[in-house]
Amino acid sequence: MAGDFTRTLDMGAQKRSIWQSLHIDLPLLVLLLMLMSTSLFVLYSASGENLSMVYRQMVYFGLGLFIMFVVAQFHPLWFQMFAPWAFTAVVIALLLVLLVGVGAKGAQRWLSVFGLFRFQPSELMKLVMPMMVAWYLASKLLPPSFKHIVVTLLIVFIPTFLVMRQPDLGTSLLIAAAGLLVLLFAGLSWRYILGAAGAALVIFPMMWLFVMHDYQKQRVLTFLDPESDPLGAGWNIIQSKTAIGSGGIEGKGYLEGTQSQLEFLPERHTDFIIAVFAEEQGLIGVVLLLLLYGAIVMRGLYMASRGRDTFDRLFAGALIVTFFIYVFVNIGMVSGILPVVGVPLPLISYGGTSIVTLMAAFGVIMSVYMHRRV
Amino acid sequence: MSFSLKDANIEKEIFVKRAALVSFFVFVMLLVLAGRMLFLQVSEYELYAGKSEKNRVQIEPVPPIRGLIFDRNGVLLAENLPSHSLTVVPERVENLDYSLKLVDQLVGLSERELENFEKRIDQWRRPYEAITLKHQLSEEEIARLMVNSNFLPGIQVEAELVRHYPQGKYFAHVLGYVGHMNERDKQRLDSAQYKATKRVGKIGIERYYEDQLHGQVGLQKVETNAQGRILNVLEREDPVPGKNLILNLDVNLQKVAMDAFEGRRGSLVAMDPKTGGVLAMVSTPSFDPNLFVNGISYKKYNALRDDLDTPLFDRATRGQYPPGSTMKPFLGLAFLEAGVTDWQETIADPGWYMLENDPRVYRDWKRSGHGEAIDLRDAIIQSCDTYYYEMAFRTGIDRLQPFLEKFGFGQRTSVDVQNELSALLPTRDWKRHHRGRSWYAGDTLNLALGQGFMLTTPLQLAQATSVYAAKGKWHRSKLVYSVDGNVLEETEKPEDVIITDPANWDRMNRAMEGVITHYLGTARNLESRLSYRVASKTGTAQVVGIDQDAEYDSEALEERQRDHALYMAFAPVEDPKIAVAVIVENGESAGRTAAPIAIKVMDEYLLNQPKRPESLGIVGASDGR
């Protein structure tokens, strides 16, 4: 093993480029920078030409790139070693959130650290969850046995449940998805997948009847028929669909989107930013953006599959697919094919937390790929 | 260690297979998203483009400027003054109580303003329609509100033109006033034209000429944001301002007339017999119509409503009084027309009159009687009742009533008075129908004194006097002279009164001159003041019935139960330019209370008028101010 490792370094030394020594994948970096430029471009319009918001977003991107760079320098073995400790720590933090957390609008999502700053442990769990499951399954025979599947589900369930209690349904589902994706990449048998899908069909009506709060039911109903509450929850969807639809093929032109410029669109610089983009750039712009996201996901999957070992592949694979789920859920919600859950559009929406978490994930993917065996 | 059992190659293979599968799903999901966008942006483009345009562009109505009202000399009676008011759109206010409290701290809200606001908020209104909270803001108040506008969502300072009546109480009843549109107004008016209008004419000329004064609504296409704030005016179709009115009324005459009442209750109507133009129309006491424009407080309204002197009541057009002896000239002509008497016949007046088979004694106002030989002329000058009893009995209701009707009694005759009452000229049918009894000869005798069932309004009496002064030629009374420079056409009018011997007009006029000039005339106290010839007749009308044998003692009666004093007059006799009817409620002596008021008005019109830059037609009313 040690010899292998040394040889790799020797071989690498001969054709090592500057990017390799920095552990940065140039194609992925270029794609991410394209996405970031798009974000700044759209944000200027979506914020009502608010330059200071654009500058702040640039600072977040700079911070994100720095974090990605730092994370990429860690050898994946470090992640593997720290996985159980990190997981335990974040679960404890989630418990603390429920006990002593601070919050707003009826939800408790933050921990205040000595009153100096606040942080949201559920954001960290988005990274730690696939890391933990990958750590667990990497030591087992794959495809996983029933027993291991049950243990995995338990690992997934605990933080999911804690986040759901905050309550933050959207984030908890995405955390669960990140964990389950690892299981999928580990070769979960189709029997179980189909079985789970069947169970979901049974469970949903039960949840509807016995578990869901009225406001949650209302949200689902509003999704099914936004016109039923045109000034309330339906307003957002009606306005964002109107923005998108009225963009047509070519769009209304940069800074010309009447829906967004005239403030009909809610949360137009955060969760609903794609509607601004779709209104102003039209179908052509949206398809180009989707292609950019597709390219990032494909590059990410390729990099994950080149991972050093099972842990690396599972961890990186789950992260990149989670990234795509964010994209799908956000655009699906804004365009009215999914219910409204608070999910930002990755690396386009305004906001530092999401950018830092996502860039840390890309740091992991880069680490996995750049520290691979050649 | 299980580690050694693992097959790295198989695991890598599993992952690569799954990654390929996931790539496929990612591709499919991207297609789903792209397909969704294709659907929204291509298939449903028209629908959403329309929705977006509707969102963005709103058609806003622009209120027209209300027409101005001038008197015959071009003096403004109703104008529009710019005013800033504080408006509230309740739908956009997050916390109404808090906002009201803050506004109160900034500019102060009176009880009346809050009261009006509460009242308006409960009334029907269009969604997102602004409700006015405070009128006539000062510059300083506007500044204070502007600085704090961030804390006051849904509350705005709005500039508007507000109706103002510079002559105040002098034209309150004639002009009426505008007030906030209520639900009944909305049902009555063309909703398209009144989309942006806040106030409409409630009574008087403002109400009657509402259509002309209002103008046509303008439209502007505006771009608004989601909060409804106007960002851009895209297109504009200007409103057509309302038409300006010039009245026949004369501001000086109106003031002289109202002031002449010296606080007494009553009414005066003066008309030009040559045109029917109403020169003055007064009802006292009056009120300030400006109070109603921005919504009067309950307290002030109740005070006006409950005032025993009923200032809100328009006596000129809706006050119904027995005309008393002012009927005598009309009746005199009726007797002559019926041929029951002539100017020569005399009768004896012992102070009372009796009918066969009727035990009732019909008294003359003068208990001792007017003498042994009273003719028609004496009966007019001295207002001899006995003479009229006799002649009315001879003529009978069936000939009296149709003749009186020709002068407009018992009918609405004005061209443009809102809510004029027709008062009452009784007939046999009327009595049977309303009293359930047949007509007695005694009823005719009562009618001969302008008492009994008969009622007139001051306007009606002025109209009859005017027709009389014009020797039977009809011109219906009209308040407005011209609309936007177009002189009001005289449309269908009643038939002129034609009498068999036209010389009887002059003979009767001379008798009526005697009311002032003769030493026995009932208004002789005015003779020294006259510099022109006046034909007139006094009248008194009983307010309470007095027992036949009771002594009439005015001191013993409450002031409000004293007789009403009436007076009808026109001048100059040779070429009548003004006809006047006056009533002073509980004025007792027509010669002392009612007649002097009429003379003051006629003096002002006939003697002072040439000094004023005379006017009708010269005033550039269409130029506005």
Side-chain angles (χ1 to χ4, degrees):
Chain A
M1 285 288 282
D4 266 1
F5 196 60
T6 318
R7 186 156 47 85
T8 310
L9 285 178
D10 286 346
M11 281 182 70
Q14 290 164 3
K15 51 178 179 179
R16 178 178 281 186
S17 71
I18 179 149
W19 299 110
Q20 275 168 326
S21 49
L22 288 174
H23 301 106
I24 294 297
D25 178 54
L26 192 58
L28 184 58
L29 179 67
V30 169
L31 291 172
L32 290 176
L33 288 175
M34 284 169 70
L35 205 54
M36 288 172 175
S37 322
T38 310
S39 168
L40 296 174
F41 171 79
V42 185
L43 191 61
Y44 180 66
S45 172
S47 64
E49 307 183 30
N50 181 344
L51 264 180
S52 72
M53 198 180 271
V54 176
Y55 291 146
R56 261 175 285 151
Q57 182 82 335
M58 286 170 79
V59 171
Y60 295 145
F61 282 143
L63 187 67
L65 285 166
F66 175 73
I67 294 219
M68 179 186 79
F69 176 77
V70 170
V71 170
Q73 307 316 306
F74 286 92
H75 192 279
L77 274 171
W78 286 99
F79 305 136
Q80 198 165 0
M81 276 169 58
F82 282 115
W85 303 106
F87 183 76
T88 311
V90 177
V91 167
I92 289 168
L94 285 174
L95 278 168
L96 285 175
V97 165
L98 291 179
L99 294 174
V100 298
V102 289
K105 290 185 187 172
Q108 238 171 271
R109 293 174 187 175
W110 288 272
L111 269 187
S112 176
V113 181
F114 306 121
L116 290 176
F117 66 94
R118 292 160 138 203
F119 85 105
Q120 203 175 337
S122 55
E123 278 299 319
L124 279 179
M125 189 46 88
K126 287 175 181 173
L127 295 175
V128 173
M129 170 64 82
M131 179 158 71
M132 177 65 190
V133 179
W135 171 83
Y136 174 72
L137 290 176
S139 62
K140 305 292 179 290
L141 253 185
L142 297 183
S145 66
F146 181 75
K147 186 185 121 193
H148 298 146
I149 292 170
V150 171
V151 175
T152 305
L153 290 178
L154 198 68
I155 293 171
V156 171
F157 176 77
I158 293 165
T160 303
F161 176 77
L162 292 175
V163 174
M164 207 184 281
R165 287 297 300 270
Q166 289 181 357
D168 188 349
L169 188 67
T171 306
S172 69
L173 289 178
L174 288 167
I175 288 169
L180 296 174
L181 278 169
V182 180
L183 210 49
L184 181 74
F185 279 117
L188 181 68
S189 131
W190 292 108
R191 263 191 327 181
Y192 294 124
I193 294 172
L194 291 174
L201 284 178
V202 177
I203 288 168
F204 184 76
M206 306 284 281
M207 293 219 348
W208 180 269
L209 287 174
F210 302 114
V211 181
M212 285 173 81
H213 293 287
D214 280 344
Y215 80 92
Q216 289 167 328
K217 291 184 191 174
Q218 189 54 49
R219 221 185 257 187
V220 175
L221 288 176
T222 304
F223 160 66
L224 293 174
D225 180 17
E227 307 287 341
S228 69
D229 185 14
L231 291 176
W235 166 268
N236 293 5
I237 279 306
I238 292 169
Q239 294 301 335
S240 71
K241 275 163 73 181
T242 304
I244 296 169
S246 65
I249 296 173
E250 291 173 4
K252 293 178 183 170
Y254 190 51
L255 300 178
E256 301 288 327
T258 53
Q259 280 289 106
S260 49
Q261 301 305 326
L262 303 179
E263 299 166 30
F264 285 99
L265 263 182
E267 301 175 52
R268 58 197 172 127
H269 57 274
T270 56
D271 291 0
F272 282 76
I273 197 165
I274 184 73
V276 178
F277 183 74
E279 183 183 21
E280 297 189 346
Q281 307 306 325
L283 184 63
I284 296 170
V286 176
V287 168
L288 287 174
L289 183 67
L290 288 177
L291 284 175
L292 182 55
Y293 274 122
I296 290 171
V297 173
M298 293 308 158
R299 180 70 190 169
L301 271 177
Y302 168 77
M303 288 163 75
S305 64
R306 297 292 299 275
R308 183 181 52 92
D309 67 6
T310 303
F311 171 80
D312 293 12
R313 289 190 290 265
L314 291 181
F315 188 19
L319 286 176
I320 192 67
V321 176
T322 309
F323 171 83
F324 178 73
I325 288 175
Y326 280 43
V327 174
F328 184 79
V329 169
N330 177 274
I331 299 181
M333 144 189 122
V334 176
S335 65
I337 52 174
L338 290 176
V340 175
V341 284
V343 175
L345 183 61
L347 299 187
I348 298 282
S349 289
Y350 174 80
T353 315
S354 146
I355 288 171
V356 167
T357 313
L358 288 164
M359 290 306 283
F362 282 109
V364 169
I365 294 164
M366 291 210 176
S367 158
V368 163
Y369 181 61
M370 302 309 287
H371 292 95
R372 69 189 185 276
R373 283 198 196 89
V374 180
Chain B
M1 215 179 150
S2 60
F3 209 74
S4 55
L5 296 172
K6 288 169 71 73
D7 185 328
N9 285 329
I10 288 177
E11 289 189 1
K12 180 165 184 168
E13 199 182 315
I14 289 173
F15 185 88
V16 170
K17 269 190 187 162
R18 286 290 160 105
L21 196 72
V22 166
S23 301
F24 175 73
F25 274 118
V26 165
F27 182 70
V28 169
M29 284 162 94
L30 282 173
L31 275 185
V32 167
L33 291 180
R36 175 65 178 171
M37 291 298 184
L38 188 82
F39 173 73
L40 290 176
Q41 299 190 302
V42 178
S43 307
E44 303 222 296
Y45 170 72
E46 298 288 336
L47 170 72
Y48 288 114
K51 274 195 180 185
S52 149
E53 191 68 6
K54 229 168 76 188
N55 252 346
R56 177 177 79 103
V57 175
Q58 285 173 5
I59 310 258
E60 286 249 323
V62 185
I65 297 172
R66 197 170 176 85
L68 305 175
I69 305 176
F70 300 89
D71 93 326
R72 59 161 46 217
N73 309 308
V75 177
L76 261 176
L77 304 182
E79 59 187 332
N80 306 305
L81 295 182
S83 165
H84 287 89
S85 47
L86 188 59
T87 63
V88 180
V89 178
E91 284 89 341
R92 297 197 178 112
V93 177
E94 282 161 23
N95 184 339
L96 194 59
D97 287 339
Y98 169 80
S99 294
L100 289 179
K101 214 172 278 174
L102 188 53
V103 169
D104 186 31
Q105 280 170 14
L106 290 171
V107 296
L109 291 172
S110 70
E111 221 166 280
R112 176 189 154 200
E113 281 154 352
L114 283 169
E115 199 179 86
N116 280 336
F117 179 72
E118 304 285 328
K119 202 164 66 179
R120 287 277 297 133
I121 223 172
D122 291 338
Q123 281 173 10
W124 182 92
R125 58 194 181 80
R126 292 185 294 271
Y128 288 91
E129 183 187 339
I131 296 175
T132 306
L133 178 57
K134 190 179 176 68
H135 291 281
Q136 287 161 329
L137 297 169
S138 69
E139 293 291 325
E140 198 196 328
E141 287 171 331
I142 294 170
R144 245 180 276 152
L145 289 165
M146 290 311 213
V147 168
N148 290 285
S149 59
N150 280 341
F151 307 106
L152 294 167
I155 295 183
Q156 297 182 33
V157 174
E158 232 173 62
E160 57 173 350
L161 288 172
V162 174
R163 201 64 154 174
H164 180 248
Y165 303 102
Q167 308 299 337
K169 65 169 185 177
Y170 286 105
F171 285 87
H173 291 110
V174 185
L175 287 182
Y177 47 78
V178 297
H180 288 290
M181 269 172 96
N182 58 30
E183 208 164 343
R184 256 179 307 148
D185 295 324
K186 277 168 196 182
Q187 281 164 5
R188 177 166 62 87
L189 299 163
D190 176 1
S191 61
Q193 282 297 324
Y194 280 81
K195 259 184 181 151
T197 304
K198 285 186 180 164
R199 298 181 182 85
V200 294
K202 293 289 187 178
I203 60 168
I205 288 175
E206 291 276 30
R207 166 80 183 259
Y208 190 90
Y209 284 93
E210 176 64 35
D211 290 352
Q212 312 282 336
L213 289 165
H214 180 256
Q216 279 171 16
V217 70
L219 293 174
Q220 59 181 14
K221 267 191 176 177
V222 292
E223 191 177 63
T224 62
N225 65 9
Q227 281 79 51
R229 203 181 313 130
I230 296 176
L231 303 175
N232 245 330
V233 176
L234 304 173
E235 272 174 51
R236 190 180 157 106
E237 185 188 311
D238 285 327
V240 178
K243 292 174 180 163
N244 294 337
L245 304 183
I246 297 179
L247 303 191
N248 283 306
L249 280 83
D250 180 315
V251 70
N252 299 303
L253 218 53
Q254 185 84 358
K255 285 185 175 172
V256 165
M258 190 171 283
D259 293 341
F261 277 88
E262 293 171 344
R264 308 191 77 131
R265 298 175 302 280
S267 171
L268 175 146
V269 178
M271 282 172 62
D272 180 349
K274 294 185 195 317
T275 63
V278 176
L279 302 170
M281 190 152 102
V282 161
S283 172
T284 67
S286 187
F287 60 94
D288 182 2
N290 292 306
L291 290 175
F292 286 83
V293 174
N294 288 331
I296 190 169
S297 69
Y298 281 125
K299 211 170 123 193
K300 280 190 181 162
Y301 181 75
N302 289 345
L304 284 174
R305 192 194 57 195
D306 299 338
D307 189 331
L308 280 178
D309 289 344
T310 59
L312 294 176
F313 179 57
D314 183 10
R315 292 169 162 82
T317 63
R318 297 182 67 78
Q320 303 184 94
Y321 307 92
S325 298
T326 57
M327 293 308 293
K328 284 194 167 113
F330 304 98
L331 291 162
L333 282 183
F335 302 154
L336 296 168
E337 258 328 89
V340 298
T341 186
D342 55 29
W343 290 95
Q344 280 74 47
E345 189 190 358
T346 62
I347 64 159
D349 170 22
W352 49 269
Y353 182 80
M354 279 188 82
L355 286 168
E356 270 180 68
N357 304 323
D358 185 347
R360 189 182 152 138
V361 177
Y362 292 87
R363 294 193 180 282
D364 195 293
W365 64 271
K366 195 174 177 185
R367 303 215 98 179
S368 55
H370 291 277
E372 288 303 308
I374 295 291
D375 63 6
L376 179 53
R377 182 168 168 272
D378 299 330
I380 292 277
I381 293 171
Q382 303 175 35
S383 202
C384 172
D385 295 340
T386 307
Y387 180 89
Y388 272 81
Y389 289 139
E390 169 63 21
M391 296 309 163
F393 173 69
R394 291 189 198 170
T395 312
I397 183 66
D398 299 325
R399 288 193 282 186
L400 281 180
Q401 186 268 330
F403 188 79
L404 292 178
E405 198 173 27
K406 290 183 183 176
F407 286 90
F409 291 112
Q411 300 156 53
R412 273 189 283 263
T413 56
S414 85
V415 173
D416 55 6
V417 168
Q418 178 75 25
N419 286 334
E420 178 195 6
L421 288 183
S422 61
L424 178 62
L425 178 62
T427 63
R428 284 180 191 275
D429 281 350
W430 175 86
K431 193 183 175 194
R432 200 173 304 124
H433 196 254
H434 287 87
R435 291 290 186 270
R437 314 183 70 169
S438 51
W439 188 269
Y440 302 133
D443 295 328
T444 312
L445 300 198
N446 278 332
L447 183 71
L449 296 198
Q451 300 271 7
F453 304 118
M454 181 153 186
L455 294 170
T456 59
T457 65
L459 174 63
Q460 209 171 45
L461 188 57
Q463 173 75 72
T465 305
S466 175
V467 173
Y468 186 97
K471 295 182 176 168
K473 182 131 185 66
W474 258 94
H475 296 285
R476 299 209 290 158
S477 62
K478 48 183 183 279
L479 299 171
V480 168
Y481 172 71
S482 68
V483 177
D484 240 14
N486 300 315
V487 177
L488 226 58
E489 296 275 326
E490 210 167 356
T491 51
E492 50 77 44
K493 55 185 180 183
E495 269 179 50
D496 292 342
V497 186
I498 293 168
I499 56 176
T500 326
D501 182 2
N504 281 339
W505 292 113
D506 288 325
R507 293 184 187 123
M508 187 61 80
N509 286 352
R510 276 197 294 278
M512 288 168 71
E513 277 185 79
V515 169
I516 292 178
T517 56
H518 195 274
Y519 75 103
L520 287 174
T522 50
R524 65 193 169 276
N525 56 318
L526 295 168
E527 193 192 357
S528 57
R529 290 173 46 178
L530 288 187
S531 50
Y532 46 86
R533 292 169 62 199
V534 176
S536 67
K537 183 70 196 81
T538 56
T540 48
Q542 284 178 11
V543 173
V544 285
I546 298 165
D547 276 343
Q548 286 211 16
D549 298 314
E551 209 50 39
Y552 176 79
D553 179 3
S554 67
E555 298 303 317
L557 287 170
E558 286 295 314
E559 195 263 347
R560 279 172 205 281
Q561 293 177 345
R562 293 178 197 165
D563 289 351
H564 292 328
L566 292 103
Y567 189 61
M568 60 83 91
F570 59 90
V573 173
E574 64 278 13
D575 179 24
K577 291 192 167 88
I578 181 169
V580 186
V582 180
I583 177 160
V584 179
E585 286 183 13
N586 318 114
E588 288 190 285
S589 164
R592 281 201 308 274
T593 59
I597 295 174
I599 298 297
K600 272 185 196 169
V601 169
M602 291 194 288
D603 281 351
E604 169 67 21
Y605 189 69
L606 297 173
L607 305 179
N608 296 342
Q609 191 190 34
K611 294 177 203 157
R612 291 197 297 271
E614 170 67 51
S615 53
L616 285 185
I618 298 171
V619 172
S622 49
D623 303 335
R625 287 189 280 164

